[in-house]
Amino acid sequence: MSYDLAFWYESRSIDSKTAFRKYDATVDGESGVTAGSPRVAAFHRDVLNAYQDLTENTSEEEAEQSPWTSSVYFNGECVLVTIAWSRRSEVADALITMAKNRGLVTYDPQDGLVIEA
């Protein structure tokens, strides 16, 4: 079981219905859903500095220690993460704080919750 979160930049407030549409389109592979921002790229670097990404070169031991159940997704517009359920509180709280520090929106699709910076 996993816990998903999405992060992107919005210049103004966004409601949960609009956030879901953007999240859903992004998960479906659409581009141009949100405006790309250097903040998103910087956040992506922050995430990978804090938690090693899963790659084909990841050792079995590293994979077991990783909070991810799949690789961190970054397309220039957003970052999508899939956190192991057992690590959701620890990692989600840290990522939300990092996102707020970068002025990004966090979308929690499990609860339909938007957390603004």
Side-chain angles (χ1 to χ4, degrees), residues 21-79:
R21 283 195 299 267
K22 288 186 175 197
Y23 170 78
D24 193 44
T26 300
V27 169
D28 284 344
E30 292 182 35
S31 61
V33 175
T34 64
S37 169
R39 297 176 189 208
V40 178
F43 173 74
H44 180 244
R45 285 190 301 275
D46 294 344
V47 171
L48 297 184
N49 284 333
Y51 304 100
Q52 181 179 342
D53 199 3
L54 295 175
T55 67
E56 55 190 56
N57 297 327
T58 302
S59 72
E60 191 173 319
E61 182 180 328
E62 290 169 330
E64 287 177 13
Q65 294 175 3
S66 175
W68 315 125
T69 59
S70 64
S71 294
V72 174
Y73 176 81
F74 170 64
N75 69 355
E77 299 174 18
C78 71
V79 174

